[in-house]
Amino acid sequence: MFNTLVKINCHSKNSLLKYIAGNLLEKLYCCEINCAEMDKTVLFAHHGRGCTIVASKICENVVIFQNVSIGANLKYNKITNEWENVGNPIIAKNVIIADGAKILGPIVIGENSVIGAGAIITKSIPANSVAYGVNQFKPKDENYDLIFNPNMIRPEKIIEANKKLVAEFNKH
């Protein structure tokens, strides 16, 4: 149901259907998506639960995990009586945005980049980077896919690894 609501909310020409889908996304998934332009290939992992997405543009093959915020980082200058830092992010193609990341302001996240879990990004990030912490980034290692790969690990392997970790922990 989530994917159908996203499709209607983000790509329908019918404003009433968009309105209804947007309300259902918020009510059922605590998810708000309001983008000027979003490619149809954007994937929300874990149903995008808790996401607030207000972007200028999200390009093709972007993957967004839960509790991600993408939006404005405005400030009002009381001396000039003007708003500054106006605009929302552009997320280039093939970007992966991990759990709880915040991407704010009129910035560009370069293609093939990964935004790490809990990162707070208010400055543009170059292509092929891994962003983490507060506005930190490093080059992405081409030999690894981080966070997401279409050939995802089976849940049984994760459970097995967790059992080994717990057993090792319990030895101490």
Side-chain angles (χ1 to χ4, degrees), residues 73-87:
N73 191 20
L74 296 166
K75 61 183 177 181
Y76 186 76
N77 185 326
K78 293 191 251 181
I79 297 167
T80 64
N81 294 321
E82 297 286 332
W83 283 98
E84 297 176 356
N85 212 38
V86 177

Side-chain angles (χ1 to χ4, degrees), residues 87-161:
N88 296 326
I90 294 174
I91 312 298
K93 65 182 180 178
N94 304 319
V95 170
I96 297 167
I97 306 170
D99 313 53
K102 312 295 179 223
I103 303 171
L104 306 169
I107 62 174
V108 175
I109 304 301
E111 66 182 45
N112 305 312
S113 290
V114 174
I115 308 300
I120 301 171
I121 306 299
T122 61
K123 299 180 186 301
S124 290
I125 300 296
N128 303 304
S129 295
V130 176
Y132 57 96
V134 178
N135 292 320
Q136 300 294 308
F137 67 91
K138 62 183 181 182
K140 185 176 167 188
D141 185 337
E142 292 182 25
N143 294 317
Y144 290 93
D145 281 336
L146 303 175
I147 316 297
F148 181 82
N149 178 287
N151 183 21
M152 291 303 285
I153 189 170
R154 290 188 346 263
E156 297 81 19
K157 284 194 80 159
I158 296 172
I159 292 167
E160 180 182 317

